[in-house]
Amino acid sequence: MVLKGIKIKLYPTEKQKIFIDRNLALNRFVWNQLLAMQGARHENGGRYVGKYAMHNLMKPLKWEFPFLKEADSTSLEYTSDDLDAAFLRFFNKQNGYPRFKSRKRPKSTYTTKCINNSITVVDNHYIQMPKLKLVKCHGAHRITGRIMRATIRKEPDGSYTATILVEEAVPILPKTGAIVGLDMGITHLVIQSDGYKLKNKQFERALAKQKRIWQRKFARRRERALREIAAAKANGVELQLTDFKNLQKAKQQVARINKRIKNQRLNYLHHYTTQLVKEHDIIVMEDLKTKNLMKNHHLARSIADASWGIIKNLLTYKCAWHKKELILVKPHYTSQTCSHCGMNTGKKPLHIRMFNCPHCHTVGIDRDINAAVNIRNKAFA
Ligand SMILES: [Zn+2]
């Protein structure tokens, strides 16, 4: 059994949108109330109130603020759990002191628990959720396991999604006996030791023009808004950037394009890694930690870096699910060593695409494939 998060798109009605926005606001309110309470207690020399004690505070909080009864009550508990986690990170010195959530930067998600089938898929096109009742959705046919909880999100582009956490049994894939080494490149994102090369598709290129148009509109509208805010202030009127609907629209359009690019890339990598795990029992790749530390300002390179990180994460859990093996090796000398005889032949400039070995006289191996074979061999060295 494994836990799986399945993201679906929601199409809430106006009334449902109002509830989601209201529930996000109520969760923000509870976060701030509990945070203020913890701060006040600390000042009076009291001890930190733990996770379950905070759950018990929900009832008195609802007496004091009756409007909290409108909220999805399990979501308030998850919010107090989030606050508890933020405090634990602070105590462990991983993070700063938890901050109040402002109206300007509101909460974008809330989580609701599935109790007695309170979350169910209806007809593949609707999902039943606490307080919201039936919400029209897309992608629910992928939900097959036992539903544990749902996290509802208001995306930066103003749309709504839900990530449904399910527990399901994964089918065990048949063993193939195949072993593959993966080398990471830029024009080709992945080069396999068997010669297959995965193209580094430029998803951002197709949408680049649209993105630039909206980015420019955003910049222009922002400048105009700032001027109007200054002018209004001189007349004693408080205005905020959020008051300019046109500006917000441009911001959402940019966010929408970014989301589409990200989704297309993720789909591409999902498809590739699933196939890889199906076809091979052992997958060997470079341990990318050191590479990720290098900050690179070249766009193609930074996208490739991010994609490799995603590939590693996807392979890590897909191999664990399907009882396959992922081996991470140190990438040193993989491009200098002859994959045939194992001789280190020294550094080569990047423009030399073919690998010729002066030792065993193997000639004309593709440089990248040579490296991928070396990575595969490293797992057994
Ligand atoms: Zn050789």
Side-chain angles (χ1 to χ4, degrees), residues 338 340-341 357 359-360:
C338 169
H340 194 69
C341 69
C357 179
H359 185 68
C360 68

Side-chain angles (χ1 to χ4, degrees), residues 181-185 188-193 196-197 368-369 372:
L182 310 180
D183 187 31
M184 302 299 186
H188 287 97
L189 197 55
V190 182
I191 300 100
Q192 295 182 193
S193 54
Y196 177 81
K197 296 182 176 184
D368 294 328
I369 297 172

Side-chain angles (χ1 to χ4, degrees), residues 1-6 141-148 164-171 321-322:
M1 295 298 248
V2 294
L3 291 176
K4 230 180 190 178
I6 298 167
H141 60 279
R142 290 178 294 138
I143 301 169
T144 48
R146 188 163 72 94
I147 297 176
M148 314 291 282
I164 315 294
L165 188 77
V166 298
E167 188 188 52
E168 66 175 44
V170 281
W321 281 2
H322 298 288

Side-chain angles (χ1 to χ4, degrees), residues 6 42 101 109 124-125 160 162 185-186 194 198 235 243 252 258 261 315 325 330 336 346 379:
I6 298 167
H42 183 72
K101 295 205 185 290
T109 65
N124 280 346
H125 298 296
Y160 294 83
I186 292 176
D194 56 14
L198 180 76
N235 295 327
D243 296 327
Q252 287 186 349
N258 282 337
I261 296 170
L315 285 177
E325 199 177 349
K330 293 261 163 355
Q336 314 180 13

Side-chain angles (χ1 to χ4, degrees), residues 225-340:
L226 288 173
R227 274 201 305 274
E228 281 181 35
I229 287 173
K233 202 170 186 185
N235 295 327
V237 184
E238 270 306 322
L239 276 180
Q240 285 178 338
L241 285 176
T242 45
D243 296 327
F244 294 84
K245 289 282 173 284
N246 243 355
L247 173 71
Q248 295 309 315
K249 196 195 161 198
K251 193 177 168 186
Q252 287 186 349
Q253 286 294 338
V254 175
R256 226 172 110 185
I257 294 167
N258 282 337
K259 196 175 83 176
R260 264 177 70 188
I261 296 170
K262 207 176 128 198
N263 282 346
Q264 283 174 349
R265 181 167 298 279
L266 189 61
N267 268 346
Y268 183 60
L269 299 179
H270 257 302
H271 193 82
Y272 171 66
T273 49
T274 298
Q275 203 59 26
L276 205 60
V277 172
K278 250 186 209 164
E279 289 170 1
H280 304 90
D281 288 356
I282 302 176
I283 299 164
V284 191
M285 72 186 282
E286 298 173 17
D287 198 354
L288 300 167
K289 259 178 247 157
T290 47
K291 274 193 171 163
N292 285 346
L293 288 178
M294 291 190 288
K295 282 258 152 61
N296 208 303
H297 297 291
H298 190 58
L299 181 69
R301 183 59 197 270
S302 65
I303 290 170
D305 279 348
S307 301
W308 297 341
I310 295 169
I311 289 175
K312 183 179 157 186
N313 289 342
L314 296 179
L315 285 177
T316 302
Y317 79 77
K318 286 181 186 179
C319 283
W321 281 2
H322 298 288
K323 305 266 187 294
K324 303 279 180 123
E325 199 177 349
L326 177 70
I327 301 176
L328 299 173
V329 297
K330 293 261 163 355
H332 309 306
Y333 309 119
T334 47
S335 53
Q336 314 180 13
T337 306
C338 169
S339 61
H340 194 69

